[in-house]
Amino acid sequence: MTEAAHMQMNEPEAHFNTTRRPTGPVILDLKNISLSFGGVRALTDISFDVRQHEIRAIIGPNGAGKSSMLNVINGVYRPQQGQIVYRGEVRKNMDCHAAAKSGIARTFQNIALLKGMSVLDNIMTGRNLKMKSSFLMQALYWGPARREEIAHRVKAEEIIDFLEIQAIRKTPVGRLPYGLQKRVELGRALAAEPDILLLDEPMAGMNVEEKQDMCRFILDVNDQFGTTIVLIEHDMGVVMDISDRVVVLDYGKKIGDGTPDEVRANQDVINAYLGVAHP
Ligand SMILES: Nc1ncnc2c1ncn2[C@@H]1O[C@H](COP(=O)(O)OP(=O)(O)OP(=O)(O)O)[C@@H](O)[C@H]1O
Ligand SMILES: [Mg+2]
């Protein structure tokens, strides 16, 4: 997608009723995070927090460090500096498996599904962390393992109903149009029953109608399951419409943080989006 397309400040066709449950206390606190890859400083001294039940957006131009930030939150990257406090405890040396076990799930900027497998089976992979039976017991389909498998399938079917994808539950994911694949990826993340859901550009490449559907599902997840959501999105209309608070990154630095109205009025943010030269 071009830089110009990424920076669209237009409003979406339809507005959502975003009267939701009030947000709670801080659940995730990122303090002075710095991350470098060799000589590239992806993140420099970034601090912001996420409140329980909030929809928290991260925005910024290409290469600003948004995906790197999500990768820090879910333990894929370990920052060289800074502290992450999750549920009041300083998180030490957490890898992505531990992050997932602690209730953090995510979707990816580039869809990461098993294309030859059905929608149902892809969503079932999201239940892996919740499965107690060993591989051998499952292979033998034995007593408790069988009961467990059935319970997980029921949960996966609930998510399929919620996302309104019953008609394609047996279809191999690779045969689905892009917008539906993104929805299945959301389903796989939901299958882990996360407390915090990290979404990296869930609407990228979608048409207006697909975006509206995805917005509705994100709001419904937030409302019905109480899930806290951290969302990277380039469509400003969507961001301003569904977020409680927005953090703005530019060249790895934080240049804005606040409600959509506050961020919209922030001169540094306006400059970054209009491409004003850096000193
Ligand atoms: N694994 C990596 N190795 C080296 N450099 C990286 C790596 N991941 C990210 N970077 C660099 O860090 C910077 C931030 O990248 P990041 O992907 O976080 O940006 P982004 O805001 O998500 O951009 P986009 O909107 O294009 O997705 C970029 O300069 C990028 O090239
Ligand atoms: Mg990115």
Side-chain angles (χ1 to χ4, degrees):
M1 195 180 289
T2 64
E3 196 80 357
H6 268 161
M7 291 183 183
Q8 55 192 307
M9 297 290 272
N10 57 314
E11 297 292 315
E13 307 273 305
H15 289 273
F16 294 90
N17 177 6
T18 50
T19 317
R20 302 192 311 271
R21 277 184 268 171
T23 59
V26 171
I27 182 170
L28 179 69
D29 199 1
L30 299 140
K31 296 181 178 177
N32 309 102
I33 302 288
S34 292
L35 174 76
S36 305
F37 299 101
V40 179
R41 301 201 70 172
L43 300 169
T44 305
D45 200 26
I46 308 273
S47 300
F48 68 95
D49 61 26
V50 180
R51 295 184 164 277
Q52 202 152 24
H53 192 59
E54 174 171 51
I55 298 184
R56 184 69 149 132
I58 303 177
I59 66 168
N62 295 123
K66 304 178 299 294
S67 294
S68 299
M69 196 68 236
L70 282 202
N71 281 325
V72 165
I73 295 174
N74 85 327
V76 173
Y77 295 153
R78 214 164 277 170
Q80 283 88 4
Q81 277 165 35
Q83 204 177 49
I84 302 169
V85 182
Y86 180 44
R87 299 182 183 289
E89 279 179 30
V90 177
R91 216 176 72 171
K92 290 205 180 90
N93 299 331
M94 189 182 270
D95 60 20
C96 53
H97 189 75
K101 277 212 139 178
S102 71
I104 300 175
R106 74 172 291 180
T107 65
F108 295 86
Q109 190 164 351
N110 300 309
I111 295 170
L113 293 167
L114 298 158
K115 306 267 174 178
M117 274 167 55
S118 71
V119 167
L120 175 62
D121 286 342
N122 267 282
I123 290 175
M124 281 292 282
T125 64
R127 300 288 304 166
N128 277 347
L129 279 169
K130 304 242 165 224
M131 292 194 186
K132 292 194 193 76
S133 312
S134 69
F135 177 72
L136 181 65
M137 279 172 82
Q138 280 178 31
L140 296 171
Y141 218 61
W142 204 34
R146 179 154 196 276
R147 278 195 294 279
E148 200 193 340
E149 162 89 12
I150 290 167
H152 286 302
R153 287 209 171 254
V154 168
K155 187 73 211 175
E157 295 286 0
E158 274 172 31
I159 289 165
I160 285 172
D161 287 349
F162 175 81
L163 293 174
E164 298 165 12
I165 46 179
Q166 301 91 334
I168 52 160
R169 51 198 282 292
K170 292 271 159 79
T171 309
V173 161
R175 288 213 213 126
L176 297 173
Y178 178 80
L180 276 179
Q181 290 193 22
K182 291 286 246 189
R183 205 186 295 181
V184 174
E185 211 195 3
L186 173 64
R188 191 195 45 192
L190 288 178
E193 297 179 78
D195 298 322
I196 300 186
L197 181 60
L198 312 175
L199 302 174
D200 196 344
E201 301 198 26
M203 286 160 244
M206 288 187 173
N207 63 35
V208 173
E209 203 178 313
E210 288 170 331
K211 277 187 189 180
Q212 284 177 3
D213 284 345
M214 186 53 97
C215 277
R216 182 166 56 85
F217 287 122
I218 291 171
L219 288 168
D220 284 352
V221 167
N222 178 251
D223 198 33
Q224 292 182 30
F225 306 148
T227 314
T228 304
I229 291 170
V230 181
L231 163 86
I232 296 175
E233 183 49 51
H234 280 291
D235 185 318
M236 285 308 130
V238 168
V239 167
M240 298 301 170
D241 235 17
I242 72 171
S243 312
D244 294 296
R245 289 188 301 160
V246 184
V247 58
V248 192
L249 304 184
D250 190 24
Y251 290 97
K253 297 198 172 124
K254 185 171 104 166
I255 59 166
D257 191 352
T259 63
D261 284 342
E262 284 165 352
V263 160
R264 226 192 306 247
N266 178 324
Q267 194 58 46
D268 289 337
V269 176
I270 295 166
N271 292 348
Y273 273 86
L274 294 177
V276 172
H278 281 251

